[in-house]
Amino acid sequence: MSESGSGKTDFGFQQVPWNDKARRVRAVFDSVAGRYDLMNDLMSAGAHRLWKQFTLSLTGLRPGQQALDLASGTGDLGTGMARQVGNTGLVVLSDINANMLQRGRDRLTDRGLIANVQYVQANAERLPFASSQFDCVTIGFGLRNVTDKPAALASIHRVLKPGGQLLVLEFSQPVVPALARVYDAYSFNVLPWLGRTITGDADSYRYLAESIRRHPDQETLLGLMRTAGFDDCRYHNLTAGIVAVHRGYRY
């Protein structure tokens, strides 16, 4: 739970000043940026690639359209959408963290994706884009790190064209009780150990596990999207709910 303005919000299991969470999140990703892709592969046994491919299969993007990838990280979703919209389209990769955004730029450049891609460092709560600009907005494994989720969802709704779609790929809550217990043990023991071993930073990966538990569950996030004005909202559980893809449209 959180309070806006001068109150407190969650940073993992900690309560921190509302205005301090974004700085702390940036520090986490500054710490892990150099080994981000390797850690994703190790933590998910490569499953994150399948989750992202499923998300890309839902975009409905066509050549010439425009898309925005928030919390773009090292650019996996942005890469896929740049190929979907082709040379006549545009994909904007946006991240609040400059180090992550630069790594995404480097990866897409290495893949020859230059002419139809732009990069903007921005806060998802206050997107610096024109209203009704994008046909699709994605945010992969980033919404849980946003301080004011309703503000971010409202900002995304504003920049979508009528008929445009939001896709939220995010860790969620397992729907199988027995799996939930195993997942907890893995998250709070193995993830920090991997972080310490591979990156020398256990705390950032402890925050990852905690932030997932603090993130709204599937139905709660669905409600937040509807409150922000999205229509035809639904979600797809992946890997028994460990991850979910939420979808909503602006009409």
Side-chain angles (χ1 to χ4, degrees):
M1 300 297 291
S2 62
E3 300 176 15
S4 62
S6 60
K8 299 282 189 176
T9 190
D10 59 272
F11 177 76
F13 290 161
Q14 301 178 55
Q15 288 291 298
V16 301
W18 179 270
N19 294 327
D20 194 40
K21 179 172 178 175
R23 179 193 65 79
R24 289 172 180 253
V25 169
R26 281 195 297 270
V28 166
F29 285 93
D30 280 340
S31 173
V32 305
R35 298 291 183 92
Y36 185 78
D37 291 318
L38 174 61
M39 283 297 296
N40 281 347
D41 282 331
L42 292 174
M43 290 187 302
S44 70
H48 74 100
R49 300 177 185 274
L50 299 176
W51 300 331
K52 291 168 183 172
Q53 284 301 316
F54 178 77
T55 304
L56 288 168
S57 76
L58 302 177
T59 66
L61 286 168
R62 301 185 302 275
Q65 292 189 315
Q66 297 192 19
L68 170 64
D69 182 28
L70 295 172
S72 56
T74 53
D76 288 340
L77 292 177
T79 294
M81 291 194 294
R83 290 170 175 158
Q84 289 174 339
V85 303
N87 291 334
T88 58
L90 174 69
V91 173
V92 178
L93 277 70
S94 181
D95 202 295
I96 198 171
N97 184 281
N99 286 341
M100 294 300 297
L101 195 62
Q102 183 60 51
R103 289 190 174 274
R105 181 195 291 264
D106 291 345
R107 287 190 67 192
L108 268 70
T109 300
D110 289 345
R111 293 167 176 168
L113 296 168
I114 300 171
N116 64 342
V117 183
Q118 296 178 1
Y119 303 87
V120 177
Q121 185 177 0
N123 187 330
E125 299 168 20
R126 300 179 295 277
L127 293 174
F129 306 110
S131 298
S132 304
Q133 180 173 346
F134 298 103
D135 298 285
C136 182
V137 176
T138 58
I139 179 166
F141 303 112
L143 186 61
R144 72 180 187 282
N145 296 316
V146 172
T147 306
D148 193 339
K149 294 174 181 61
L153 291 170
S155 190
I156 292 168
H157 187 272
R158 179 186 63 79
V159 302
L160 276 171
K161 295 178 180 179
Q165 179 183 200
L166 166 65
L167 292 167
V168 180
L169 171 64
E170 188 55 270
F171 292 109
S172 199
Q173 300 302 316
V175 295
V176 180
L179 177 60
R181 291 190 290 272
V182 174
Y183 184 48
D184 276 347
Y186 173 80
S187 297
F188 291 105
N189 294 285
V190 177
L191 289 188
W193 177 82
L194 275 174
R196 182 174 63 252
T197 302
I198 303 300
T199 71
D201 182 359
D203 289 343
S204 291
Y205 290 91
R206 188 171 296 107
Y207 162 75
L208 168 64
E210 294 175 357
S211 68
I212 294 168
R213 300 317 185 275
R214 298 291 292 176
H215 186 65
D217 64 19
Q218 288 91 324
E219 290 294 329
T220 302
L221 180 53
L222 204 65
L224 289 174
M225 291 173 63
R226 288 170 174 153
T227 299
F230 289 94
D231 295 304
D232 288 347
C233 297
R234 72 200 88 161
Y235 62 86
H236 307 270
N237 282 324
L238 306 179
T239 317
I242 288 176
V243 165
V245 178
H246 283 68
R247 311 171 67 181
Y249 293 83
R250 177 189 177 186
Y251 293 140

